[in-house]
């Protein structure tokens, strides 16, 4: 897709995982054919930025050599699958992800661009707050369930049934008009009056929800944040050289398998108390042609003023690409400055309009109610 700094090329790692060679290869391709900047997205994808029209074909060839391309673009478009990063070789996460990828490749669903699946079969759930429309989870008896986003309970299934039921839910969504409607997401489709068929309803309650992880050492490896979701290619190259594989997450962090010490780097977030973890922002101007302001500069200046239990979302426009959900404070850039929304999304009504970046930096108390 076209952006203010050139083409942005999305990479969807299979099973949410890149081996070290793939990660190093992406870093090299970013340096050679892009502007050297790589995004981590809220859908656990990577984006190579600043690619020219001339550089696009050899970049695609390079990604193909790394085994990162699908046979067709429409297959890649449907392969929108979030995977819990805390899986182990002994559980069913990877096999579920592979089976779902294969099922989507063989289906002709014509799903909306942002329609996605989550495989969150750990105990507790890790992806409950991440964007997904169909969820494969565990119930309170450790069995599997399939749940449509927007309803609190799901359908209990056998392991052999899970992927087929998830695909059936997606087929129902399309057939019932969800893909062609204005809402185009499962929760909104159900809230708008659509009713699940009896065969896809259930009363199984999912296991409890965990809080979002923070940077640190885990049994599987090191969880490392990337400041505002963007890193230079050298950082990815360094991470690849220090681990056997990287697992992508929807929190703009990566889990480096087997790493027992936290890495270092100015653009890395390794401290659980780092205020940058409390801020979500998009690329902003001039990197995005739709953005009305430099969101990253403002986010960096405001991060330390956000309370530890709050979240700030700085968006370059009303689309809210970086974060579709609610935040304690949301700033939306417009032609006339930033609109401020409290406890809402970019689509909600602002409580204050037209704040300049300089005013916000000089008066950060306005974010939490002071003037």
């Amino acid at each position: 897709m076209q952006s203010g700094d050139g083409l942005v090329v999305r990479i969807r790692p299979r099973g949410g995982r890149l081996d070290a060679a793939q990660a190093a290869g992406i870093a090299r391709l970013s340096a050679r054919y892009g502007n050297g900047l790589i995004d981590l997205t809220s859908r656990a994808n990577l984006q190579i930025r600043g690619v020219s029209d001339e550089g696009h074909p050899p970049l695609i060839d390079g990604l193909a050599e790394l085994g990162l391309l699908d046979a067709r673009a429409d297959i890649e478009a449907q392969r929108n699958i979030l995977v819990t990063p805390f899986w182990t070789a002994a559980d069913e996460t990877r096999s579920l992800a592979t089976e779902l990828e294969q099922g989507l490749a063989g289906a002709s669903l014509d799903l909306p661009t942002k329609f996605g699946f989550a495989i969150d079969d750990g105990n507790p759930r890790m992806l409950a707050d991440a964007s997904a429309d169909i969820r494969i989870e565990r119930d309170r008896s450790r069995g599997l369930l399939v749940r449509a986003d927007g309803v609190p309970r799901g359908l209990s299934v056998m392991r052999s049934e899970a992927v087929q039921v998830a695909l059936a839910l997606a087929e129902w969504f399309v057939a019932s008009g969800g893909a062609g409607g204005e809402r185009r997401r499962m929760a909104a489709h159900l809230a708008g009056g659509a009713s699940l068929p009896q065969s896809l309803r259930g009363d199984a309650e999912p296991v409890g929800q965990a809080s979002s992880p923070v940077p640190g050492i885990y049994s599987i490896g090191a969880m490392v944040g990337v400041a505002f979701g963007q890193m230079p290619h050298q950082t990815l190259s360094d991470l690849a050289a220090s681990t056997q594989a990287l697992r992508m997450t929807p929190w703009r962090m990566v889990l480096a398998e087997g790493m027992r010490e936290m890495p270092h780097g100015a653009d890395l977030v390794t401290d659980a108390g780092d205020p940058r973890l409390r801020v979500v922002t998009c690329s902003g101007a001039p990197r995005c042609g739709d953005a009305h302001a430099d969101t990253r500069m403002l986010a960096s200046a405001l991060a330390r003023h956000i309370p530890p239990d709050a979240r700030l979302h700085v968006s370059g426009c009303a689309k809210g690409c970086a974060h579709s959900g609610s935040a304690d404070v949301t700033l939306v850039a417009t032609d006339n400055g930033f609109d401020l929304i409290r406890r809402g999304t970019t689509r909600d009504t602002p409580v204050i309009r037209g704040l300049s970046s300089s005013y916000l930096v000089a008066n950060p108390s306005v974010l939490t109610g002071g003037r």
Side-chain angles (χ1 to χ4, degrees), residues 181-199:
E182 293 182 3
R183 299 178 181 90
R184 298 178 67 82
R185 298 300 300 272
M186 179 67 80
H189 187 48
L190 293 173
S195 180
L196 288 170
Q198 192 64 39
S199 61

Side-chain angles (χ1 to χ4, degrees), residues 344-361:
T345 74
T346 57
R347 300 173 295 280
D348 291 321
T349 302
V351 295
I352 307 175
R353 296 182 185 271
L355 297 170
S356 67
S357 295
S358 58
Y359 179 86
L360 287 164
V361 172

Side-chain angles (χ1 to χ4, degrees), residues 5-23:
D5 55 355
L7 294 173
V8 177
V9 177
R10 179 185 62 208
I11 302 167
R12 283 181 169 156
R14 289 185 175 83
R17 183 177 186 264
L18 295 170
D19 63 36
Q22 289 174 322

